[in-house]
Amino acid sequence: FRIIDVLDVDSKGVCWARNQVQSLYRDEKYTLQLDSHHRFEKGWDSMAVQWVKALQRKGHKKPLITAYLSSFNPDNDPEERAEAPFRMYFDRFTPEGIVFFIPENIPNWKEEKLPVPARFYSAHFAFTLGKFCKEVPHDPNYYFHGEEISIAARAYTHGYDLFHPHRLIAYHEYTRRGRVKQWDVDKDWGIRNTNTHKRNRILFGMEEGQIDFGIYGFGKERSLKDYEEYAGIQFKTRGVQQYT
């Protein structure tokens, strides 16, 4: 185990924390990103590895398996676990220019043999090749909102193909009832969040500005336009193409 022990009052937010965790990477073959409030099916890790290998055999050099996981109720588990895997669906652009998503059941999921193509990235479950930590590191200057859409586009431009699990592999507790959040103890969280919104708008060309994003920018294997066409989104106009 390699552990970074940080007091809550010293944290700069979730993206900063995830960047810190990625700094622990030591050439492991795979990497897994999670939130803390999950339940897992037996053999979930073997399934995830098998899926990555199967997708690679089909020509996807860098599969990224990610999802808003199906829900569960910790007060009545396992009885209140969702009975179908979720996919991520476009919800809206916020006034600040952030793309939000909602989960919905994967249609005909029992008929699928492999993870299904995904347009978006979930920060609470992402399993892929270990080198992702180096190729698409979390931007520590982001605070929270904007994290998922920026990673989705950056990963895609670095050559990663996104997929949702087609089977129930794990479950996520969405309410977070009774938990103290980082922003409950960070008096500067509002400033961090506002700066993140501006940074995200400049990254996607929704606002004029000059920022050297360096390793936190887009890759060279595909363009941002490629991702927009793939995901059905146009950032500059905050447009979205209807899809099923």
Side-chain angles (χ1 to χ4, degrees):
F1 291 92
R2 295 188 293 275
I3 298 172
I4 299 175
D5 195 1
V6 179
L7 291 174
D8 55 357
V9 293
D10 293 331
S11 172
K12 297 178 176 62
V14 65
C15 298
W16 172 86
R18 285 172 172 153
N19 178 276
Q20 293 286 301
V21 171
Q22 287 177 322
S23 74
L24 300 177
Y25 173 62
R26 298 295 184 271
D27 297 323
E28 289 82 3
K29 190 169 186 178
Y30 300 106
T31 184
L32 172 69
Q33 180 173 293
L34 292 170
D35 283 358
S36 58
H37 26 278
H38 286 62
R39 295 289 186 273
F40 290 86
E41 290 288 350
K42 185 176 181 179
W44 68 271
D45 49 350
S46 298
M47 283 191 288
V49 171
Q50 290 169 7
W51 293 342
V52 167
K53 290 180 177 179
L55 290 166
Q56 287 180 317
R57 288 194 294 270
K58 290 181 67 68
H60 302 283
K61 294 182 179 179
K62 296 191 285 188
L64 169 56
I65 299 174
T66 185
Y68 280 176
L69 294 173
S70 303
S71 60
F72 82 100
N73 178 3
D75 295 326
N76 189 25
D77 186 58
E79 285 73 18
E80 290 188 44
R81 292 185 178 186
E83 297 180 350
F86 290 164
R87 68 178 181 177
M88 296 172 68
Y89 197 82
F90 174 89
D91 182 25
R92 67 190 188 277
F93 275 95
T94 70
E96 297 81 13
I98 305 299
V99 179
F100 275 15
F101 317 101
I102 52 176
E104 64 175 12
N105 291 347
I106 295 176
N108 305 314
W109 60 275
K110 291 182 180 179
E111 301 172 11
E112 301 290 348
K113 304 301 182 185
L114 284 173
V116 299
R119 294 177 172 89
F120 306 119
Y121 166 93
S122 164
H124 82 228
F125 181 85
F127 182 84
T128 187
L129 306 179
K131 62 183 179 180
F132 186 82
C133 295
K134 293 290 188 182
E135 293 183 338
V136 195
H138 273 270
D139 186 341
N141 299 292
Y142 271 57
Y143 180 70
F144 186 19
H145 290 154
E147 167 192 23
E148 292 179 322
I149 188 60
S150 65
I151 293 290
R154 289 175 54 212
Y156 190 82
T157 61
H158 278 280
Y160 286 84
D161 293 330
L162 282 64
F163 295 91
H164 293 320
H166 63 306
R167 296 289 181 264
L168 290 162
I169 189 173
Y171 306 85
H172 182 257
E173 200 278 294
Y174 283 88
T175 68
R176 306 174 179 88
R177 291 187 298 267
R179 296 176 183 156
V180 177
K181 317 299 190 299
Q182 191 272 342
W183 49 81
D184 292 325
V185 297
D186 185 351
K187 60 180 174 49
D188 294 325
W189 81 265
I191 297 172
R192 300 188 201 280
N193 206 37
T194 298
N195 291 340
T196 294
H197 292 159
K198 182 178 181 66
R199 188 174 180 87
N200 192 69
R201 290 193 298 269
I202 292 174
L203 175 69
F204 284 108
M206 290 183 275
E207 179 177 323
E208 296 294 329
Q210 294 294 324
I211 294 178
D212 180 7
F213 286 93
I215 62 173
Y216 306 119
F218 298 118
K220 300 184 182 302
E221 295 190 38
R222 296 166 175 149
S223 67
L224 176 60
K225 186 174 185 296
D226 290 333
Y227 177 72
E228 289 181 315
E229 292 177 353
Y230 174 75
I233 288 177
Q234 189 174 70
F235 290 99
K236 193 167 186 178
T237 62
R238 305 190 189 191
V240 61
Q241 180 179 4
Q242 185 176 0
Y243 57 87
T244 59

